[in-house]
Amino acid sequence: MTTNRISLTELERGTPFEQRHIGPDQAAQAKMLAHIGFGSLDELTAAAVPDVIKSAEALDLPQGRTEAEVLDELRGLADRNRVLSSMIGLGYYGTFTPPVILRNVMENPAWYTAYTPYQPEISQGRLEALLNFQTMVADLTGLPTSGASLLDEGTAAAEAMALARRVGKVKKGVFLVDADCLPQTVAVIETRAEPTGVEVVVADLSDGIPAEIAERGVFGVLLQYPGASGAVRDPRALIEQAHELGAIVTVAADLLALTLLTSPGELGADIAVGTTQRFGVPMGFGGPHAGFMAVREKFARSLPGRLVGVSVDADGNKAYRLALQTREQHIRREKATSNICTAQVLLAVMAGMYAVYHGPEGLAGIARRTHRYATVLAEGLRAGGIEVLHGTYFDTLTARVPGRAAEIVAAAREAGVNLRHVDADLVGIACDETTGRAQLTAVLGAFGVQGDIEQLDAAAGDALPESLLRSDDYLAHPVFHQYRSETAMLRYLRTLADRDYALDRGMIPLGSCTMKLNATTEMEPVTWPQFGALHPFAPVDQAQGYLTLIQELEERLALVTGYDKVSLQPNAGSQGELAGLLAVRAYHRANGDEQRTVCLIPSSAHGTNAASAVMAGMKVVVVKTGEDGEVDADDLHAKIEQYRDELAVLMVTYPSTHGVFEEHITQICAAVHDAGGQVYVDGANLNALVGVAEPGKFGGDVSHLNLHKTFCIPHGGGGPGVGPVGVRAHLAPYLPNHPLQPTAGPETGVGPISAAPWGSAGILPISWAYVRLMGGEGLKRATQVAVLSANYIAKRLEPHYPVLYTGPGGLVAHECIIDVRPLTKATGVSIDDVAKRLIDYGFHAPTMSFPVAGTLMIEPTESEDLAELDRFCDAMIAIRAEIEKVGTGEWDKEDNPLRNAPHTAASLTGEWTHPYTREEAVHPAGVDAAAKYWPPVRRIDGAFGDRNLVCSCPPLEDYDG
Ligand SMILES: *Cc1c(COP(=O)(O)O)cnc(C)c1O
């Protein structure tokens, strides 16, 4: 019996996680390889990936660990974070996530694995949730049009600055920022302003706009309401004065305070921005949370980011979809006004649901309690002889303690509370939803004050200014009143989730977006309090677990990409682009090359590339794409020559946005370097490269990655994301840093790109866990299977649809583009018809019309097993046969299952007048009737919604019957 003995070490390894992450098993891989004519994964890689870019060595990462081991390691890291009561404030507050929302949204794959709602018919649940979010923000800010989330408060304020400059009457002058704005917001604004030539002036505006500033011209003003110090001032006179100067006024507001205070809209503001973090979203050491922006109606069409609107479907029923999609930055390219793409959908859904669950009275109750704690504390401090600076405040106090601030902050820390160390003489104390009597006693004690909470409560009056008490109704819509019991809430969440198609139903074969497995083990730590409850500005000695995790992830990503240094601060791919381009800019300037401002971008690039370049103060020059989908070498060389002295950088996606490993990449990089330019390799397609090739080694100077694509952070229905930027050593001094956390970046850095020092730190455990679970070999195998799956699909579909571009050996990289244009031309069946018909077959459509109009881009990823790949191919082939029926006239040109797709259950029960059967409509070949996904609405009329823009919950009467 000894011959079959398996060693303990081997048994302990259990089932390698790799086998859970990678869909096709050995036997399936062999079948797929045989189908495309290869004997092994290595043979395929050798043929598909150009030799010039291949890594010389295997990834120097340890072998993958088991799920149990990795969870243990993560628990160890979590235990090295110390969670104190946070009373630091500055835009980040303790909050109690209602468990019904925690478990059924944040921890529920039906919500977190969904894609951006570009296919609205299968996204009605999250679109409704986002409409709730928009309604909540619009109501509380008193401004009618709110978008469906921005990345954080700092970048929302920076976007407001850009908006003010675009739409305002004053075209010159400065952007004026009140001194009581959040310091990280001011810093993010300064990072964004400098390259675009905007001058930011920070001044104390409590007595109005100083004459010498007014004389220079002011195009925009930013106020914080309540201020960073806690002060609540009546800004009406200031807003009026700003308007007289022709300035656009932005108020950065706290939504909880707005349940009690007059709204910015009513005060006269043009734009309101802020964060919705304290509406039930854990602090997560800085993020992710949903930022917001709301504007006056006349600016609705200039809002950055996504906007959900109401429209109608083919049966005239109300339906939601993304409004004004032609504004999407993908399409705007160099005309883009903002680079935001991935936003914060999952967190926006949570914040909206928090308002749905609590309703206006519940929210106001939380606000009143928070305010009362602050007043009780102020009463106690004053009674103890401590000076409290402001007479009117909401939740935050500033205490003046000459020379004693450090000592008091330390004493509070000893007692388990973090306070804000403003300077040597000032201490900030912020109350929130989680504040209790214990914290008040601890804080009073730290100041050396005794106080009986009951007596202080009896003595304390309210401290909200009489003139600013809110008197209008808000959140009157039934959605904010109907789901007060947990049963009702649970069912509402379930109802919405059931309307959506996410990865928990089937594959989402989105080119460029890598919708791979988001493993539960990777997700679990995110909601552990030791990762969730840390304030981003907590002392670093309380965050040792985080810092270790961050450092290790940075190092491992540097290894994988071949760069020398990585910053995890950017909280989306777009932000990584901006950070990378700012590094390039700073580098050229440091070398005395201020004139190097031209950014070459191939015409096939993702829209964020050009938008980021514009934001980095660069001039975009578009390079042609050749017939074969590759960068047109002649045009590139001509442009390099033409702009030789001004060339700053070439931005190139690799593998290309066409899903092809271009063979000339190293020559291209060399030519750019020869002309003194830098090479930016957009790393969103890194899923084709990990373990196989390193952009930092084959010619790139800088790249961003998308951890929400390649490294398993879920898409969340359109966010969150993390967009780390990796650079070679010469650019490292110019990575992002942070004014409040010196360890977060180089002293010589370009300033903060995100409001928080490590961006969306709260979701970094996901990518850390993925790398740890897979190990070096596992990561490489994932890449190889991703390439195998894409080639398998390409091969299976090729006889039915032309595959548009291929690289070496007729192979594609990790995605393939199939061309529907010839079929459209011959039969009238459009790309839309195919995409919507896929819904009837139980699939999410691939990426439509990007990067080439009239095509579908398919990226299966390594996580889909062979059965699912085949189910998809079978559906596509069956649809091809349906198109044929339209072509031959067997099916009517207009009234056919393709044109009428998707079919709802309701559409079957009325009178059936179509020339095809109900079975053909909803149970076409291969669809399992018992497992069918039913879309809740039929095809949505986007244009109708754009003409009749409605971006908050429809009025009550629409809900009758
Ligand atoms: C997704 C993507 C981006 C932008 O990333 P976001 O996180 O959405 O900002 C940039 N470039 C390419 C090629 C992408 O696929």
Side-chain angles (χ1 to χ4, degrees), residues 341-342 512 572-574 577 606 608-609 653 657 682 684 704 706 708-709:
C341 178
T342 288
S512 210
S574 59
E577 291 175 12
H606 195 272
T608 52
N609 287 186
T653 303
T657 36
D682 180 327
H704 79 271
N706 285 28
H708 48 300
K709 294 177 180 172

Side-chain angles (χ1 to χ4, degrees), residues 117-120 321-329 331 946:
Y118 292 134
Q119 294 290 333
R321 92 284 177 246
L322 293 177
L324 309 177
Q325 280 234 46
T326 46
R327 302 170 338 126
E328 274 276 317
Q329 316 315 335
I331 298 152
D946 284 352

Side-chain angles (χ1 to χ4, degrees), residues 489-532:
M489 187 68 187
L490 179 70
R491 289 177 187 159
Y492 180 52
L493 292 173
R494 173 65 192 259
T495 305
L496 293 190
D498 275 357
R499 290 183 189 156
D500 286 14
Y501 185 103
L503 280 178
D504 62 338
R505 284 187 194 274
M507 81 188 285
I508 303 183
L510 273 158
S512 210
C513 285
T514 315
M515 300 294 289
K516 58 163 73 175
L517 171 74
N518 317 117
T520 313
T521 293
E522 293 153 7
M523 293 299 295
E524 268 201 328
V526 172
T527 50
W528 295 347
Q530 298 101 313
F531 286 119

Side-chain angles (χ1 to χ4, degrees), residues 446-616:
F447 279 89
V449 171
Q450 306 296 322
D452 177 84
I453 303 289
E454 288 296 334
Q455 280 172 8
L456 293 173
D457 182 33
D462 275 355
L464 297 171
E466 198 72 41
S467 67
L468 288 174
L469 291 181
R470 186 158 191 157
S471 55
D472 60 335
D473 254 1
Y474 52 84
L475 307 184
H477 193 276
V479 79
F480 299 106
H481 299 265
Q482 283 168 342
Y483 308 110
R484 219 39 62 69
S485 78
E486 182 166 330
T487 302
M489 187 68 187
L490 179 70
R491 289 177 187 159
Y492 180 52
L493 292 173
R494 173 65 192 259
T495 305
L496 293 190
D498 275 357
R499 290 183 189 156
D500 286 14
Y501 185 103
L503 280 178
D504 62 338
R505 284 187 194 274
M507 81 188 285
I508 303 183
L510 273 158
S512 210
C513 285
T514 315
M515 300 294 289
K516 58 163 73 175
L517 171 74
N518 317 117
T520 313
T521 293
E522 293 153 7
M523 293 299 295
E524 268 201 328
V526 172
T527 50
W528 295 347
Q530 298 101 313
F531 286 119
L534 252 65
H535 190 288
F537 309 144
V540 284
D541 64 284
Q542 294 171 22
Q544 287 305 305
Y546 254 126
L547 293 198
T548 303
L549 184 144
I550 286 166
Q551 193 194 336
E552 288 180 357
L553 184 57
E554 282 179 357
E555 285 167 5
R556 287 166 195 170
L557 292 177
L559 196 92
V560 166
T561 53
Y563 285 109
D564 297 306
K565 189 85 187 122
V566 166
S567 165
L568 292 169
Q569 193 188 88
N571 51 11
S574 59
Q575 307 304 298
E577 291 175 12
L578 180 58
L581 292 172
L582 289 179
V584 167
R585 179 173 194 271
Y587 169 77
H588 285 313
R589 293 170 82 84
N591 292 339
D593 285 335
E594 279 88 1
Q595 84 290 354
R596 289 198 178 272
T597 57
V598 166
C599 179
L600 298 178
I601 300 185
S603 62
S604 62
H606 195 272
T608 52
N609 287 186
S612 300
V614 171
M615 291 170 65

